[in-house]
Amino acid sequence: MADILAKFALYAQYPFVRYAFIVGILIALCSSLLGVTLVLKRFSFIGDGLSHVAFGALAVSAVLGISSSMIVVLPVTVLCAVLLLRTGQNTKIKGDAAIAMISVGSLAVGYLLMNLFSTSTNLSGDVCSTLFGSTSILTLSRAEVWLCAVLSVAVVAVFVLFYNKIFAVTFDEDFARAAGIRAGECNLLIAVITAVIIVLAMNLVGSLLISALVIFPALSAMRVFKSFRSVTVCSAVLSVVCAALGLLISLPAGTPVGATIVAVDIAAFAVFWVIGAVRA
């Protein structure tokens, strides 16, 4: 561990390493906040579905030659999050079917466009980096870091401001409506925030591993704590710690950043599972 810290101290002299660490911590914090809500509402798979949508939008922006992909990826992902919410409420197309339909279609179309129109000489490397986030976190510019910071602060502020309403809608929408809360608008807000988090997390863990970043900290916290607030706080702290440890391990060791962070999340879940079993 001492060697790893020494290597990281050496690497921390480079700006791109500091950018990766800042963005990684911010993304981990944001992704954990809504993880508890998504798990309790049995909508955990929405992260995976929206990540595939983001991949398709990223492929379109790459084909069109748009330098700042966020201009395309963010609005498309938010729009699809709203569409998933509306479609999931349709009695003919249930929520899980809507997610599968939109996510798989977006993934297929995105990969097809990249193969047909991409001018890159390393298409397989670009696809692998997008899907698993192996190098994108280490190529962030100062502008991207600031954009991530602004969006992260906005996500945290919205979550804190609407915490009571999110809590009510999470556990009982009928009661929330009876209490005068606009449950439909609150669900829409949750979908939009989730979409923003997914777009931010693509740089950290890639499209295919985003769900783990959202779900594992929440599931781990639920093994030990019971109240909504305690689970949310524990999930946020655990997510930040796992992201920091993943970065500390992956950068000196040369392992993929996203996969390393998810592996640390899995190890933390195993530890919390044991603690929960002992306490039970």
Side-chain angles (χ1 to χ4, degrees):
M1 188 65 181
D3 293 338
I4 293 177
L5 291 176
K7 288 183 179 179
F8 185 82
L10 178 62
Y11 293 150
Q13 299 176 10
Y14 300 98
F16 71 89
V17 175
R18 295 195 296 269
Y19 292 162
F21 204 81
I22 293 172
V23 171
I25 296 299
L26 290 175
I27 292 174
L29 175 61
C30 292
S31 62
S32 63
L33 292 178
L34 282 181
V36 181
T37 296
L38 295 178
V39 169
L40 293 176
K41 289 176 71 66
R42 300 185 183 278
F43 221 43
S44 306
F45 209 58
I46 191 174
D48 193 58
L50 291 178
S51 67
H52 292 171
V53 171
F55 173 81
L58 187 64
V60 172
S61 66
V63 169
L64 296 177
I66 300 175
S67 57
S68 180
S69 59
M70 192 74 73
I71 298 176
V72 176
V73 177
L74 186 58
V76 170
T77 307
V78 170
L79 179 63
C80 285
V82 176
L83 184 61
L84 278 174
L85 179 66
R86 299 300 183 189
T87 308
Q89 295 174 347
N90 191 333
T91 56
K92 296 181 180 179
I93 304 178
K94 299 299 181 182
D96 56 346
I99 292 174
M101 179 178 64
I102 294 179
S103 64
V104 174
S106 301
L107 186 64
V109 171
Y111 186 61
L112 180 63
L113 289 175
M114 291 185 73
N115 273 272
L116 291 177
F117 301 105
S118 178
T119 58
S120 174
T121 57
N122 186 21
L123 178 60
S124 60
D126 293 340
V127 173
C128 183
S129 177
T130 304
L131 293 179
F132 296 100
S134 57
T135 59
S136 55
I137 189 65
L138 299 178
T139 58
L140 296 174
S141 64
R142 183 186 294 269
E144 290 173 324
V145 174
W146 275 108
L147 178 61
C148 177
V150 171
L151 291 177
S152 299
V153 171
V155 168
V156 174
V158 170
F159 181 84
V160 172
L161 185 62
F162 294 94
Y163 172 82
N164 291 330
K165 294 182 179 180
I166 293 175
F167 170 79
V169 172
T170 298
F171 283 96
D172 194 336
E173 288 193 20
D174 294 332
F175 174 79
R177 288 190 177 92
I181 297 175
R182 298 180 178 178
E185 295 180 2
C186 194
N187 282 326
L188 183 63
L189 179 65
I190 292 173
V192 172
I193 295 176
T194 303
V196 174
I197 292 172
I198 295 305
V199 173
L200 292 176
M202 280 188 66
N203 283 327
L204 183 62
V205 296
S207 297
L208 296 184
L209 302 178
I210 289 176
S211 292
L213 200 66
V214 175
I215 301 306
F216 268 111
L219 292 176
S220 300
M222 287 178 183
R223 295 299 303 171
V224 177
F225 297 97
K226 300 304 178 184
S227 70
F228 183 79
R229 179 171 297 178
S230 299
V231 171
T232 302
V233 172
C234 177
S235 175
V237 174
L238 183 62
S239 181
V240 169
V241 171
C242 289
L245 286 177
L247 287 165
L248 284 172
I249 295 171
S250 65
L251 293 178
T255 56
V257 176
T260 305
I261 293 175
V262 174
V264 175
D265 276 315
I266 294 173
F269 175 74
V271 172
F272 274 71
W273 180 282
V274 173
I275 295 174
V278 170
R279 291 182 61 182

